[in-house]
């Protein structure tokens, strides 16, 4: 079979298999379908949730693949969406303008975090916690504690339409795919993922690259934020770094996406992984598990996946070690050296 | 020429650097910061900040963070950061309070309930931290990823157990425990234990060695895997005891209880003068002095009338500045381990 077709089939098998498994479980346990095709409600929800999660996961992938966990991404999402959209609304703009303003302000806040990272050079996780607290505070002050309220605002329904979400995700997919796979930035990213020190010694400006990663990530979470806010018609201010919750939970699709990327590429892998896990989440909801219980199940699955990922070559390594021992023993006996028991 | 001037030992910059990097500066700085905070807020509040009643409040508020942070220094010393300290403490608080109330409901004695509550809290915390360490040391999952998952998982378990309800320990019981200074005794005994282990035994020395140079420690026969498990278990002990202190202090548990504990603990350890990279400059009292500083800062700003949402911005800024100031600025970007 053509390798490309085989890889495509393997990639697509993940969401399809997940759907079939959850469909069977839901039918047996609850007598319900994962996706109720008699109305388009489930489908629209799936598309919207996948789109929002996918944008956040792309944002995470810019830094986390290089070992930088940015815990301020949630606060950047909040700041970009609330401040950007409030400014757009104050200028009398609506609809797609809100998306553009959120994107722009997300980029700005991402740039700020990136510049602070390069200046302070503190561990990324520590930076994320500090910047998260600061940005949440900034959002509180600038919005007077209200956050973003879109209730009754004309022209925002387009942002929560399924076709619009699909369009946005398609654009993000193309942009991220192009950036990661076909640009100098993407090559540099892979070099830094291999070894930051070697990348720096070979002439890559790792500081500029880190700032760019933070900036792109900020823009992406800005997009995710406004899509979410448009559907819920609001985005409330948070404190104590609570904004990082949705971001942390999307580390699972990111790791799964990178794993699936073996049969396609990182951008497609992340999209497919996000879709797969959203189907899983929908199945759990149809089983009438509470949000907390769904999270428990999801996190155990995540742990199991991480354990698998960390040990996937275990048996291969053991076999290689055993083969090597046999080889050594054969060599020894050939040379007449006594073989130890 | 500039380069030569910078390398000149007698240059002002190098003199300042040598003072800044002096071990006594590192050790005394947290106390100086605390005194400065006390002085500034005392001036701003007309002396009310230093009133004995307010100081007792600060001390009591700081006790939970101090207990958890004292255990946390063992983990930090190895150069690892644990994001699940707060979630572990709160889950232990929830489960042990549920056990206590179940025993009372079943007609058991208060004494039995208290013993069971204490034992469950400590064992559960040690189990959770031991499990986290095993995932990392035996199953090779990176500590950072383990703690991310555990943070979310434990919070979800607590939410599933509690739902929207609040558990309340009868106030006469918590008052009785507080009047007998049980929370101070718990903290005092654990702190003394931690000081001995951290500063006067091979375990503490090895943990600091691993934090200073993991490869060198490994080549000297100090295997990170074994000692990381120990660090997590002692950290877990602190979290279990911290949960007990929290119950005695507030007497109630809900899903919003101690929501900022993890952040406060990390801030306390850093404000206490410990590097986030761990190593030889780690000391066990960093968590305690830092916890008092964090609480004093919060208390002082509230007394001055600063909005709580602004306080967190100030704390975030202070956190970043102190971490940046306490570390030697790397030539490259911080290591990719997070």
């Amino acid at each position: 079979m053509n390798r490309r077709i085989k890889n495509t089939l393997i990639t697509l098998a993940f969401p399809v298999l997940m759907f079939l498994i959850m469909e069977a479980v839901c039918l047996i346990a609850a007598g319900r379908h994962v996706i109720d095709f008699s109305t388009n409600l489930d489908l629209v929800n799936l598309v919207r949730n996948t789109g929002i999660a996918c944008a956040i996961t792309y944002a995470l992938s810019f830094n986390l693949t290089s070992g930088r966990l940015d815990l301020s991404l949630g606060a950047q999402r909040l700041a970009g969406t609330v401040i950007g959209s409030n400014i757009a609304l104050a200028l009398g703009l609506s609809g797609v303008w809100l998306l553009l303003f959120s994107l722009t302000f997300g980029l700005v806040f991402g740039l700020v975090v990136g510049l602070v990272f390069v200046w302070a050079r503190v561990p990324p996780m520590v930076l994320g916690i500090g910047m998260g607290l600061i940005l949440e505070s900034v959002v509180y002050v600038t919005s007077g504690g209200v956050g973003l309220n879109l209730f009754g605002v004309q022209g925002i329904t387009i942002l929560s339409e399924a076709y619009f979400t699909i369009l946005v995700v398609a654009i993000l997919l193309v942009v991220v795919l192009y950036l990661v796979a076909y640009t100098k930035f993407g090559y540099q990213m892979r070099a830094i993922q291999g070894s930051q020190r070697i990348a720096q010694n070979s002439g890559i400006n790792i500081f500029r690259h880190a700032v760019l990663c933070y900036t792109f990530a900020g823009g992406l979470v800005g997009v995710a934020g406004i899509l979410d806010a448009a559907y819920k018609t609001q985005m409330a201010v948070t404190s104590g770094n609570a904004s990082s919750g949705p971001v942390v939970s999307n580390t699972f699709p990111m790791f799964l996406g990178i794993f699936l990327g073996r049969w396609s590429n990182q951008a497609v892998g992340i999209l497919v992984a996000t879709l797969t896990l959203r189907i899983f989440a929908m199945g759990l909801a149809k089983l009438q598990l509470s949000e907390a219980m769904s999270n428990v199940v999801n996190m155990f699955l995540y742990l199991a996946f991480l354990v698998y990922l960390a040990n996937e070559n275990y048996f291969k390594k053991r076999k290689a070690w055993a083969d090597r021992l046999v080889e050594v023993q054969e060599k020894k006996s050939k040379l007449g050296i006594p073989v130890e028991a | 020429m500039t380069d030569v001037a910078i390398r000149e030992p007698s240059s002002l910059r190098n003199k300042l650097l040598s003072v800044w990097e002096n071990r006594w500066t590192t050790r005394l700085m947290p106390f100086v910061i605390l005194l400065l905070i006390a002085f500034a807020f005392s001036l701003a509040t007309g002396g009310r900040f230093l009133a004995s009643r307010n100081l007792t409040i600060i001390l009591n508020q700081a006790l939970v963070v101090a207990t958890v942070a004292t255990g946390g220094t063992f983990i930090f010393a190895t150069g690892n950061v644990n994001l699940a300290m707060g979630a572990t403490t709160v889950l232990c608080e929830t489960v042990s309070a549920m056990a206590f109330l179940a025993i009372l409901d079943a007609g058991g004695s208060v004494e039995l309930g208290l013993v069971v509550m204490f034992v469950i809290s400590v064992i559960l915390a040690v189990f959770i931290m031991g499990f986290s360490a095993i995932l990392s040391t035996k199953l090779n999952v990176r500590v950072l990823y383990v703690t991310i998952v555990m943070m979310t998982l434990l919070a979800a378990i607590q939410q599933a157990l509690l739902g929207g309800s609040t558990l309340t320990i009868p106030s006469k019981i918590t008052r009785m425990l507080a009047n007998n200074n049980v929370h101070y005794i718990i903290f005092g005994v654990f702190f003394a234990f931690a000081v001995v282990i951290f500063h006067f035994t091979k375990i503490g020395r090895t943990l600091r060695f691993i934090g200073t140079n993991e490869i060198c420690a490994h080549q000297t026969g100090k295997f990170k895997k074994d000692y990381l498990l120990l660090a997590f278990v002692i950290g877990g002990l602190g979290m279990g005891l911290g949960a007990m202190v929290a119950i005695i202090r507030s007497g109630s548990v809900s899903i919003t209880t101690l929501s900022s504990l993890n952040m406060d603990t990390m801030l306390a350890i850093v404000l206490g003068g410990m590097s986030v990279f761990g190593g030889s400059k780690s000391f066990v009292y960093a968590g305690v002095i830092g916890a008092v500083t964090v609480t004093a800062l919060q208390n002082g700003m509230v007394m001055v009338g600063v909005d709580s949402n602004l306080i967190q911005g100030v704390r975030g800024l202070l956190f970043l500045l102190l971490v940046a100031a306490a570390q030697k600025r790397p030539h490259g970007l911080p290591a990719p381990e997070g």
Side-chain angles (χ1 to χ4, degrees):
Chain A
M1 192 189 292
N2 183 312
R3 198 175 152 197
R4 186 165 286 195
I5 295 171
K6 188 181 162 192
N7 285 347
T8 308
L9 288 176
I10 293 173
T11 306
L12 292 175
F14 279 84
V16 172
L17 270 177
M18 179 60 84
F19 174 76
L20 293 175
I21 292 168
M22 291 315 288
E23 179 74 5
V25 171
C26 287
L27 277 175
I28 294 165
R32 302 168 75 182
H33 294 284
V34 176
I35 299 171
D36 184 357
F37 288 101
S38 61
T39 67
N40 66 352
L41 201 65
D42 281 350
L43 217 51
V44 171
N45 275 338
L46 180 67
V47 168
R48 186 188 305 117
N49 291 336
T50 304
I52 293 167
C54 189
I56 296 175
T57 311
Y58 279 145
L60 265 170
S61 71
F62 273 102
N63 281 307
L64 196 52
T65 49
S66 300
R68 297 187 293 262
L69 173 63
D70 183 9
L71 285 174
S72 71
L73 262 183
Q76 290 172 47
R77 171 174 172 259
L78 184 72
T81 308
V82 172
I83 297 175
S85 300
N86 275 334
I87 289 175
L89 290 174
L91 293 171
L93 303 168
S94 186
V96 180
W97 283 106
L98 293 183
L99 178 77
L100 293 175
F101 270 70
S102 296
L103 168 70
T104 309
F105 277 83
L107 288 168
V108 170
F109 287 114
L111 174 68
V112 169
V113 176
L115 289 174
V116 174
F117 175 58
V118 166
W119 169 75
R121 297 188 195 174
V122 295
M125 201 165 64
V126 171
L127 174 91
I129 292 172
M131 287 307 295
L133 292 175
I134 294 169
L135 288 177
E136 282 181 347
S137 209
V138 168
V139 173
Y140 180 85
V141 173
T142 52
S143 70
V146 177
L148 175 65
N149 185 7
L150 294 174
F151 186 74
V153 175
Q154 296 291 314
I156 59 152
T157 43
I158 184 176
L159 298 176
S160 50
E161 298 280 0
Y163 74 86
F164 188 77
T165 310
I166 292 171
L167 180 70
V168 171
V169 171
I171 293 170
L172 292 184
L173 174 69
V174 171
V175 170
V176 174
L177 182 64
Y178 178 72
L179 262 179
V180 174
Y182 301 107
T183 62
K184 191 176 160 187
F185 171 83
Y187 289 119
Q188 291 180 345
M189 183 185 251
R190 284 194 288 282
I192 291 169
Q193 282 165 7
S195 165
Q196 183 174 271
R197 185 170 291 180
I198 295 172
Q200 187 176 20
N201 288 343
S202 61
I204 292 173
N205 187 337
I206 56 167
F207 305 105
R208 191 181 62 189
H209 188 272
V211 173
L212 282 174
C213 284
Y214 274 98
T215 309
F216 291 144
L220 286 165
V221 286
V223 172
I226 191 60
L227 292 179
D228 193 26
Y231 170 62
K232 294 174 182 164
T233 69
Q234 57 115 23
M235 184 171 271
V237 291
T238 56
S239 61
N241 243 342
S243 57
S244 64
V247 173
V248 169
S249 60
N250 277 301
T251 52
F252 186 15
M254 200 215 73
F255 285 117
L256 184 61
I258 290 171
F259 175 74
L260 294 185
R262 293 172 187 183
W263 294 284
S264 51
N265 57 60
Q266 192 174 303
V268 174
I270 285 175
L271 176 61
V272 173
T274 312
L275 177 65
T276 306
L277 292 174
R278 290 319 308 177
I279 293 170
F280 180 61
M282 277 189 90
L284 294 180
K286 288 291 168 82
L287 291 171
Q288 296 188 320
L289 288 187
S290 65
E291 197 187 335
M293 275 312 293
S294 296
N295 269 339
V296 172
V297 175
N298 214 23
M299 286 301 120
F300 271 116
L301 189 69
Y302 186 7
L303 260 186
F305 178 69
L306 284 178
V307 170
Y308 166 74
L309 216 53
N311 299 285
E312 60 179 328
N313 291 323
Y314 177 77
F315 292 107
K316 220 181 267 179
K317 275 183 189 167
R318 274 190 68 129
K319 190 179 175 305
W321 181 245
D323 290 347
R324 173 95 179 116
L325 278 180
V326 170
E327 201 179 305
V328 168
Q329 281 172 352
E330 280 171 3
K331 193 93 178 174
K332 274 184 172 178
S333 59
K334 206 179 276 178
L335 294 170
I337 302 168
V339 180
E340 293 155 23
Chain B
M1 282 300 285
T2 318
D3 196 32
V4 173
I6 288 170
R7 286 163 195 266
E8 178 62 45
S10 60
S11 76
L12 180 65
R13 183 178 178 271
N14 276 350
K15 277 182 182 170
L16 286 173
L17 262 180
S18 67
V19 172
W20 182 251
E21 286 172 3
N22 185 296
R23 67 184 175 133
W24 288 108
T25 310
T26 318
R27 290 192 179 184
L28 291 174
M29 189 56 80
F31 294 97
V32 173
I33 290 173
L34 181 59
L35 286 175
L36 282 175
I37 285 173
F39 181 69
F41 284 125
S42 181
L43 280 181
T45 59
R48 279 187 299 131
F49 181 80
L50 289 178
S52 62
R53 189 167 175 273
N54 192 47
L55 291 180
T56 312
I57 290 171
I58 291 175
L59 199 64
N60 279 328
Q61 285 177 340
L63 216 53
V64 179
V65 177
T67 312
V68 178
T70 301
T73 49
F74 282 82
I75 300 168
F76 270 65
T78 61
N80 286 293
V81 176
N82 191 338
L83 288 173
M85 292 183 290
T88 306
T89 309
V90 179
L91 182 64
C92 292
E93 198 184 349
T94 307
V95 174
S96 55
M98 287 172 102
F100 177 77
L101 292 173
I103 288 172
L104 283 195
D105 285 347
S109 68
V110 173
E111 289 77 14
L112 175 70
L114 287 173
V115 170
V116 170
M117 181 167 75
F118 185 86
V119 170
I120 284 182
S121 180
V122 170
I123 289 178
L124 182 61
V126 168
F127 172 76
I128 291 170
M129 282 296 113
F131 178 65
S132 304
I134 285 169
L135 280 172
S136 172
T137 56
K138 305 288 180 201
L139 296 173
N140 307 318
V141 184
R142 277 168 61 175
V143 175
L144 175 66
Y145 302 155
V146 171
T147 66
I148 289 173
V149 180
M150 291 307 282
M151 176 176 70
T152 318
L153 175 64
L154 300 176
I157 293 174
Q158 194 227 3
Q159 204 176 347
L161 287 174
L162 275 182
S165 65
T166 301
L167 299 174
T168 308
I169 306 286
S171 61
K172 63 175 184 183
I173 295 170
T174 53
R175 225 177 13 246
M176 179 264 291
L177 293 170
N179 289 340
N180 286 305
N181 294 323
V182 174
H183 50 322
Y184 291 124
I185 294 168
I186 290 174
F187 168 72
V189 171
F190 178 62
F191 183 67
F193 164 80
V195 168
V196 171
I197 297 285
F198 199 78
H199 291 290
F200 301 104
T201 67
K202 184 184 159 192
I203 296 172
R205 278 195 301 277
T206 308
L207 291 177
R208 295 199 297 276
F209 188 9
I210 290 169
T212 307
N213 191 328
E214 196 182 312
I215 296 168
C216 189
H218 187 82
Q219 288 174 344
T220 322
K222 313 289 185 197
F223 300 116
K224 184 184 171 184
K225 289 192 171 189
D226 305 331
Y227 283 92
L228 197 63
L229 179 62
L230 260 177
F232 269 69
V233 166
I234 298 172
L237 193 61
M239 289 162 217
L241 295 173
M244 284 297 90
V245 175
I247 285 182
I248 296 169
R249 242 204 83 227
S250 69
S252 66
V253 192
S254 71
I255 53 165
T256 56
T257 301
L258 299 174
S259 56
S260 66
L261 180 63
N262 204 65
M263 176 63 213
D264 288 344
T265 306
M266 287 177 72
L267 187 57
I269 291 172
V270 171
L271 272 174
M274 210 171 129
S275 164
V276 283
F277 297 107
S280 60
K281 285 183 180 175
S282 306
F283 33 91
V284 87
Y285 64 81
V288 181
I289 185 83
V292 177
T293 310
V294 170
T295 316
L297 191 70
Q298 176 107 7
N299 180 287
M301 283 198 277
V302 169
M303 285 180 88
V304 171
V306 181
D307 188 283
S308 63
N309 284 284
L310 281 179
I311 292 175
Q312 79 154 30
V314 174
R315 287 165 64 195
L317 190 63
L318 198 66
F319 181 55
L320 283 183
L321 288 175
L322 283 170
V323 173
Q327 67 164 2
K328 276 186 181 172
R329 195 167 185 258
H331 291 297
L333 291 171
E337 279 70 34

